[in-house]
Amino acid sequence: MPGGLSQRITAWHQRRVEGRWAKIAATADDIDSFEARALRAEARGLRRHLDRALQAADARLAVPVLGAGLPQMPLGTDWVWRPDLWRGALPEPGTVAAGDRTALGENLALYHDCPLGEVVVRQVRNAAPEDRAPYGLAIDVFGFRGSFLSLAMNLPAQAVEGLQARHLVRAEMAIDSDCPVKAFARLNVKHGPNLAQPVSSLPEQGRDKLAEFDLAYVDLNDRRIEKVWLDLILNDAAMTRIVIRDLVVSRRPRAEL
């Protein structure tokens, strides 16, 4: 009985919320600019939560359909993460990356300095079991006169918690491209006022790419780590279509000597 009452109250509250926003939508053309500004802020905040809920639900439902899963992790792995873009559908799946920064969800962004604005990014639905992830990211580069093109992803707080100099951080990718592309992965670890930036070159041949960073070889104060992010840097990518089918980041402590 208590459970049934709770469900009825939740359903009643949901109808009230839906009715309020339906009324606002019907009269939106008649409100003044002050009220419109406040409603826009409220609606954007609500949409952000709704989009994340939809993305999480899509990810939960999409993975069994594709039969996707995480790759086999090395023994001792204590944290593993696949960014949201490869797990569930984005609210806006594609755009022209005309500016120097194009956000792709909350923790991912594309950066470049090309004045032509001829870079298109789009989330695509993977179809092959070897793609592993439900979704991928397609980057179509046409004319390119810039000096850099990179994909930056902020690692979540769980990646920072307990991170030490004895950890190895690993990034595994499945990438399709029209032709071999020179690419580098760079791990950025902000510790206090300093920034450690180890770099790993990715193999040009084959679709499976692996970058691994041994923090024992980095001048790192692991008691002051504040933020970690990963850059995927693409070189000489003009007139190329690159599809990152999967991207998984993990960490594990190195064996004690």
Side-chain angles (χ1 to χ4, degrees):
M1 183 65 180
L5 178 60
S6 175
Q7 291 177 359
R8 288 196 294 272
I9 292 175
T10 300
W12 172 82
H13 180 68
Q14 182 176 343
R15 288 194 298 270
R16 287 287 301 265
V17 172
E18 290 177 354
R20 173 176 177 256
W21 283 103
K23 184 177 180 180
I24 290 172
T27 59
D29 294 336
D30 301 324
I31 61 177
D32 59 43
S33 59
F34 180 80
E35 187 179 1
R37 189 173 292 108
L39 284 173
R40 182 179 64 180
E42 184 181 355
R44 283 178 173 173
L46 181 61
R47 184 175 67 178
R48 185 161 53 250
H49 295 302
L50 292 173
D51 288 343
R52 286 192 61 81
L54 286 170
Q55 189 175 47
D58 285 342
R60 183 66 183 87
L61 296 172
V63 171
V65 173
L66 186 61
L70 295 170
Q72 184 67 40
M73 292 292 106
L75 187 65
T77 297
D78 61 10
W79 174 81
V80 60
W81 174 67
R82 175 180 279 146
D84 289 345
L85 184 143
W86 285 270
R87 297 175 59 244
L90 294 178
E92 299 179 5
T95 186
V96 176
D100 57 354
R101 181 185 186 276
T102 302
L104 302 167
E106 290 197 0
N107 51 24
L108 189 70
L110 184 79
Y111 292 86
H112 71 81
D113 62 349
C114 178
L116 301 177
E118 295 184 356
V119 180
V120 178
V121 287
R122 175 171 292 276
Q123 186 185 47
V124 295
R125 186 70 165 94
N126 289 333
E130 58 268 23
D131 294 336
R132 297 195 304 250
Y135 295 88
L137 175 65
I139 305 172
D140 290 289
V141 185
F142 301 98
F144 194 82
R145 296 178 183 171
S147 62
F148 71 90
L149 175 67
S150 66
L151 192 67
M153 62 207 73
N154 293 321
L155 272 59
Q158 294 89 333
V160 179
E161 294 173 2
L163 185 64
Q164 300 177 3
R166 62 187 294 257
H167 271 100
L168 292 94
V169 178
R170 178 186 182 101
E172 297 181 62
M173 291 155 274
I175 301 178
D176 293 327
S177 60
D178 296 338
C179 57
V181 175
K182 294 181 181 179
F184 299 85
R186 181 175 64 200
L187 186 70
N188 306 272
V189 185
K190 187 178 187 305
H191 54 114
N194 302 311
L195 182 65
Q197 294 182 300
V199 177
S200 176
S201 176
L202 300 180
E204 293 185 31
Q205 303 297 328
R207 77 192 308 258
D208 293 326
K209 318 289 186 184
L210 172 64
E212 196 162 65
F213 308 92
D214 191 340
L215 300 187
Y217 293 96
V218 177
D219 185 11
L220 179 68
N221 184 346
D222 56 14
R223 290 175 296 180
R224 300 191 65 185
I225 296 176
E226 302 172 11
K227 182 180 179 181
V228 183
W229 70 96
L230 182 71
D231 295 325
L232 177 60
I233 303 166
L234 306 171
N235 290 342
D236 302 327
M239 303 306 296
T240 304
R241 177 178 171 85
I242 302 163
V243 185
I244 306 173
R245 296 293 181 184
D246 192 19
L247 192 152
V248 174
V249 185
S250 64
R251 76 178 199 193
R252 72 182 190 278
R254 63 183 294 125
E256 296 286 1
L257 299 179

